[in-house]
Amino acid sequence: MTLRYFTAGESHGPGLTAILEGMPSHVPLNLSQINQQLARRQQGYGRGDRMKIESDSVRITSGVRHGKTLGSPIALWIENKDHAAWADEMSPVAVRGFQSKRCIFYPRPGHADLNGGLKYDHTDLRNVLERASARETAVRVAVGALCLQFISTFNVSVTAHVIQIGGVGISKGRPDFSVINQKQQKSPVRCIDDAASKKMMAVIDKAKKAGDSVGGIFEVIFSGIPTGLGSHVQADRKLDAIMARTVMSIQAVKGVEIGMGFLAAELLGSKVHDGIYYDRKNKKFRRRTNNAGGFEGGMTTGENIVIRGVMKPISTLLKPLESVDVHTKKTCRASVERSDICAVPAAAVVAENILCIDVASAILEKFGGDSLKEVLKNYGAYCKYLSTCYPARHK
Ligand SMILES: Cc1cc2nc3c(=O)[nH]c(=O)nc-3n(C[C@H](O)[C@H](O)[C@H](O)COP(=O)(O)O)c2cc1C
């Protein structure tokens, strides 16, 4: 990968940290645009009370000067406001006389609690929960939002919307990119279909009342993607595979689809594959349809990238499922933490942003360069090449 990043931080620790390496110099950065993405992640009908405590904003402590990247590693920090109430609980140094009242001994089905506890030999499963929590996605979104500003320089845009919650789906067919982008902003569940939006909210209310939770499906779309990002030559360079892994890395995502996805298994090839034509006006090879979701052979076709993630229902239930006291081995009810009922709209924002890291990385792999000017020069030369190929065949 051309871009590398790591995150660190516990859910109730002092804050979340990320280091991003490989971003070229002179990329203009707007901090408030990163904060806007963090705010979007915190919204969405069905989220719990934690999001009322946190109002995330990012601090950049390295790699950026006077609004432009330096080419050095970029360090980001987001404070956990809730930490104030957890200072002793999460203290990195021993606190004399402290006895935790927040130990977790009853693992929650669907969480990392039990596996992580056994693997890392933790008797208090909180030591697992704190890192496994999707609170971590806040700082990943910050990294992604930064990459979004880089890829915007290449006229790449991204949007995301929710297409299903708890079995309620949007009507078939999609308007174009800009309509989706506008409409998703107006819905509390980021759904472009008003009638479905209302039904989705009703499903969330019903689950909440029953002490239950719901999942769903979100869709991310990139437009303005150049042809030929990624590569067919090596498994770990296939951009569709890289992006599928990124979606799967989001907590609670259990499935990924690209383009037509699973539906393709039911149809004839003639109904699936996208015919090719030459757009003489724009001097571009195009596809008649985009069932492939913007990828063929692990490379971008130049059509929109369309990728979906399936999110399981939230695992923490107010009416908890069966579990076991890990010490006594007696049957009990699972622990309950403050929790969302539905986080599909938030997961859509997470996916939208963190997929920008992959696209930024692929752009850097294809065009190279240590300064933005150098990358743009290489990109310009490639665009020119694309608009002139192929020259007339020799007789
Ligand atoms: C944005 C977002 C918010 C989430 N909020 C919660 C939550 O409040 N409660 C919960 O139990 N799980 C929540 N999850 C899901 C868990 O983090 C996830 O199920 C858990 O870490 C186990 O990982 P796995 O489901 O991928 O196996 C959330 C996930 C995302 C993406």
Side-chain angles (χ1 to χ4, degrees):
M1 288 291 274
T2 322
L3 278 177
R4 297 184 294 169
Y5 78 101
F6 273 103
T7 72
E10 272 79 38
S11 180
H12 297 96
L16 302 159
T17 306
I19 296 181
L20 172 68
E21 225 251 357
M23 185 56 71
S25 64
H26 298 287
V27 177
L29 286 186
N30 180 330
L31 220 61
S32 64
Q33 280 177 17
I34 300 179
N35 289 333
Q36 271 167 27
Q37 296 299 331
L38 295 177
R40 287 179 70 228
R41 190 198 75 94
Q42 294 189 270
Q43 293 157 9
Y45 197 78
R47 297 221 71 186
D49 291 341
R50 172 79 190 267
M51 287 305 113
K52 289 177 194 149
I53 299 167
E54 305 294 346
S55 56
D56 291 334
S57 70
V58 72
R59 210 178 135 204
I60 296 186
T61 56
S62 146
V64 181
R65 205 169 161 219
H66 303 296
K68 284 195 176 160
T69 57
L70 299 176
S72 50
I74 300 172
L76 305 111
W77 158 261
I78 297 173
E79 187 190 357
N80 286 330
K81 304 246 168 28
D82 204 15
H83 176 66
W86 291 74
D88 281 353
E89 191 74 50
M90 298 303 294
S91 170
V93 292
V95 178
R96 198 185 296 168
F98 175 74
Q99 277 217 317
S100 175
K101 292 184 191 71
R102 285 155 157 166
C103 287
I104 303 273
F105 299 132
Y106 315 145
R108 296 161 305 161
H111 269 286
D113 303 357
L114 183 57
N115 306 331
L118 294 170
K119 179 175 165 68
Y120 288 92
D121 189 19
H122 286 307
T123 44
D124 176 5
L125 305 180
R126 175 161 301 287
N127 290 328
V128 177
L129 170 163
E130 284 289 330
R131 179 62 187 158
S133 160
R135 174 78 191 132
E136 180 264 350
T137 58
V139 81
R140 269 204 280 170
V141 165
V143 174
L146 197 152
C147 290
L148 170 59
Q149 294 186 34
F150 170 68
I151 64 175
S152 303
T153 322
F154 301 84
N155 298 319
V156 174
S157 309
V158 64
T159 191
H161 62 128
V162 170
I163 62 169
Q164 204 238 81
I165 284 181
V168 177
I170 62 171
S171 50
K172 285 221 162 59
R174 298 277 192 285
D176 67 21
F177 180 93
S178 59
V179 176
I180 293 175
N181 194 29
Q182 274 171 19
K183 281 196 145 186
Q184 57 84 20
Q185 293 172 33
K186 294 186 183 126
S187 158
V189 282
R190 295 202 178 283
C191 172
I192 59 170
D193 178 332
D194 293 341
S197 245
K198 284 189 190 120
K199 283 187 196 153
M200 287 174 182
M201 285 155 73
V203 163
I204 295 169
D205 288 341
K206 199 172 160 200
K208 187 176 183 179
K209 236 178 170 177
D212 221 315
S213 64
V214 278
I217 306 176
F218 57 81
E219 180 172 89
V220 181
I221 309 165
F222 282 88
S223 77
I225 290 280
T227 306
L229 299 184
S231 177
H232 62 294
V233 303
Q234 205 62 256
D236 65 355
R237 291 180 60 195
K238 291 172 190 250
L239 187 57
D240 49 0
I242 292 169
M243 291 177 80
R245 187 177 81 158
T246 294
V247 174
M248 278 299 290
S249 81
I250 300 170
Q251 289 84 340
V253 168
K254 295 297 147 198
V256 182
E257 276 190 329
I258 290 178
M260 189 181 255
F262 281 56
L263 180 61
E266 296 169 24
L267 303 176
L268 291 169
S270 55
K271 299 282 178 269
V272 172
H273 301 298
D274 308 307
I276 300 171
Y277 71 100
Y278 191 68
D279 173 356
R280 290 186 187 276
K281 192 168 151 230
N282 295 302
K283 298 185 176 157
K284 242 181 136 179
F285 292 99
R286 300 263 342 238
R287 304 297 189 282
R288 294 266 173 225
T289 47
N290 186 24
N291 294 331
F295 286 106
E296 279 170 349
M299 291 166 283
T300 52
T301 59
E303 303 296 336
N304 288 355
I305 293 177
V306 182
I307 184 162
R308 286 181 286 281
V310 177
M311 191 179 192
K312 72 182 184 185
I314 292 290
S315 310
T316 306
L317 302 181
L318 290 177
K319 272 197 193 153
L321 295 176
E322 181 188 8
S323 187
V324 175
D325 181 321
V326 290
H327 298 281
T328 65
K329 316 289 185 298
K330 282 191 180 143
T331 297
C332 63
R333 293 280 132 193
S335 293
V336 180
E337 286 277 300
R338 190 173 40 202
S339 182
D340 300 328
I341 308 299
C342 173
V344 184
V349 175
V350 173
E352 175 184 333
N353 279 280
I354 67 175
L355 284 169
C356 291
I357 308 170
D358 294 336
V359 172
S361 195
I363 284 177
L364 285 168
E365 185 194 59
K366 176 80 186 97
F367 305 116
D370 297 303
S371 68
L372 180 61
K373 206 192 318 177
E374 196 179 359
V375 190
L376 280 170
K377 190 172 153 229
N378 296 337
Y379 168 75
Y382 180 69
C383 291
K384 194 167 167 203
Y385 150 78
L386 282 183
S387 67
T388 53
C389 65
Y390 294 97
R393 219 183 286 165
H394 293 298
K395 292 256 156 77

